[in-house]
């Protein structure tokens, strides 16, 4: 039986620590604030936004919502970002992506001041993750993987880590964060031959491929730590990860559940980035 690495205790511990830091900032006259930009009414964006607002309330972060219609024009959105950049009272900005297709998402992302880029939407933030220069913030989901490992006392140093997935929002930044923690990292993707040989040889496997239950017991060995970042619709209205939890859990040492694993940590990491942005200021 594996240890189940649940996200809720990680989020709760982070929230307590952040509430104390937020109170200290307020005592110095700084009221941390997050801007949330949502274009349109996508159900998963609205659900995440609700969770983020609740978490911000617990920490003491003010939220300013910019709710724009799905047919918002490029220059209107750029003006909103300019306003956020210029507003000294706003310390971080979360914008839901993908944006509607008529918008030039890259131009809009790059318009954000990097010091307020709390979810790594600019290339300058991403460059900071890759260079380890200490500039910019990592994507919240990628950072959540690291917070989860830290909370459960799993030190990646000297371990073999295999990341399955190479997207710029999860796979690659997670690989860089693991590398910065002195793991020896291999990144696998859809063209990797004999994926199971890589995953079976790892101490830590991070699954971020976006394929429901794709990694079953054939991909794992006893003793491993499995972090499942995937969130997929199982087709029957339930959510499942990229790992086939039922067949893998009896085999490995530790595994994150889906839901209630990595996904439960992301809003706390978002708050951590806002508090840090306010402290840096
Ligand atoms: P993505 O952009 O679709 O990238 C998926 C990556 O997995 C790609 O690099 C792809 O390889 C690789 N891949 C696909 N099929 C594969 C296979 N059969 N074997 C090996 N590699 C394969 O997805 P993403 O945005 O990174 O998201 C990954 C998962 O995380 C999704 O399930 C998403 O819903 C979930 N997610 C979770 C959270 C959270 O808070 N927990 C947040 C965001 C997303 P190629 O590069 O070769 O195409």
């Amino acid at each position: 039986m594996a240890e189940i690495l649940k996200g809720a205790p990680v989020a709760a511990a982070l929230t307590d620590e952040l509430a104390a830091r937020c109170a200290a900032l307020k005592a110095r006259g700084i009221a941390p604030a997050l801007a949330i930009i949502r274009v349109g009414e996508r159900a998963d964006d609205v659900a995440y936004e609700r969770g983020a607002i609740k978490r911000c309330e617990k920490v003491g972060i003010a939220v300013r919502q910019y709710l724009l219609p799905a047919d918002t024009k490029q220059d209107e959105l750029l003006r909103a970002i300019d306003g956020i950049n210029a507003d000294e009272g706003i310390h971080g900005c979360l914008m839901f992506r993908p944006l509607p297709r008529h918008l030039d998402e890259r131009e809009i992302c790059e318009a954000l001041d990097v010091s307020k880029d709390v979810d790594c939407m600019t290339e300058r933030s991403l460059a900071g993750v890759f260079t380890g220069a200490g500039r910019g913030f990592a994507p919240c989901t990628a950072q959540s993987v690291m917070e989860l490992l830290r909370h459960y006392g799993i030190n990646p140093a000297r371990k073999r880590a295999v990341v399955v997935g190479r997207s710029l929002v999860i796979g690659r930044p997670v690989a860089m964060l693991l590398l910065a923690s002195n793991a020896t990292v291999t990144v696998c993707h859809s063209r990797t031959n004999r994926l199971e040989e890589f995953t079976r040889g790892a101490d830590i496997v991070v699954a971020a491929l976006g394929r429901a239950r794709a990694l079953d017991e054939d991909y794992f060995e006893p003793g491993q730590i499995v972090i499942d970042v995937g969130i997929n619709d199982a087709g029957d209205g339930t959510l499942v990860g990229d790992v086939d939890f039922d067949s893998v859990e009896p085999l490995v040492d530790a595994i994150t559940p889906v839901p209630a694993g990595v996904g439960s940590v992301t809003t706390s990491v978002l708050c951590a980035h806002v508090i840090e942005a306010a402290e840096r200021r």
Side-chain angles (χ1 to χ4, degrees), residues 52-238:
I53 291 172
K54 251 169 82 180
R55 185 66 62 185
C56 284
E57 269 169 14
K58 284 189 184 151
V59 171
I61 296 170
V63 174
R64 293 203 222 154
Q65 288 168 279
Y66 293 70
L67 306 181
L68 305 168
D71 61 356
T72 296
K73 295 199 171 54
Q74 183 83 5
D75 59 337
E76 288 168 337
L77 197 41
L78 285 171
R79 266 203 305 278
I81 301 249
D82 283 348
I84 289 166
N85 287 342
D87 189 333
E88 297 248 321
I90 294 177
H91 302 90
C93 173
L94 169 73
M95 182 178 76
F96 289 103
R97 292 167 286 159
L99 291 168
R101 283 170 57 179
H102 68 279
L103 294 167
D104 178 348
E105 183 169 305
R106 192 78 332 259
E107 186 192 24
I108 290 164
C109 287
E110 292 306 322
L112 181 66
D113 182 334
V114 72
S115 70
K116 300 188 181 189
D117 184 13
V118 288
D119 195 25
C120 203
M121 66 189 210
T122 66
E123 285 176 0
R124 284 156 295 161
S125 296
L126 199 56
V129 176
F130 275 71
T131 60
R135 265 197 326 270
F137 295 99
C140 292
T141 304
Q143 187 67 45
S144 298
V145 171
M146 304 309 292
E147 293 298 333
L148 214 135
L149 292 173
R150 189 168 66 95
H151 180 89
Y152 287 102
I154 300 162
N155 181 359
R158 300 177 193 282
K159 294 201 168 60
R160 285 165 301 173
V162 164
V163 179
V164 187
R166 58 176 164 180
S167 77
L168 283 175
V169 283
I170 304 180
R172 288 187 217 204
V174 166
M176 289 303 117
L177 295 174
L178 286 164
L179 191 60
S181 296
N182 297 315
T184 301
V185 184
T186 305
V187 181
C188 299
H189 46 79
S190 67
R191 315 289 168 89
T192 300
N193 279 338
R194 295 191 290 279
L195 177 61
E196 66 283 1
E197 289 178 11
F198 290 93
T199 54
R200 278 203 223 124
D203 301 306
I204 300 173
V205 177
V206 178
L209 57 153
R211 302 273 181 272
R213 298 191 187 108
L215 306 183
D216 61 15
E217 73 266 39
D218 294 343
Y219 290 81
F220 297 96
E221 292 278 333
Q224 294 181 305
I225 293 152
V226 181
I227 308 293
D228 190 354
V229 183
I231 300 180
N232 310 285
D233 187 342
D236 59 3
T238 60

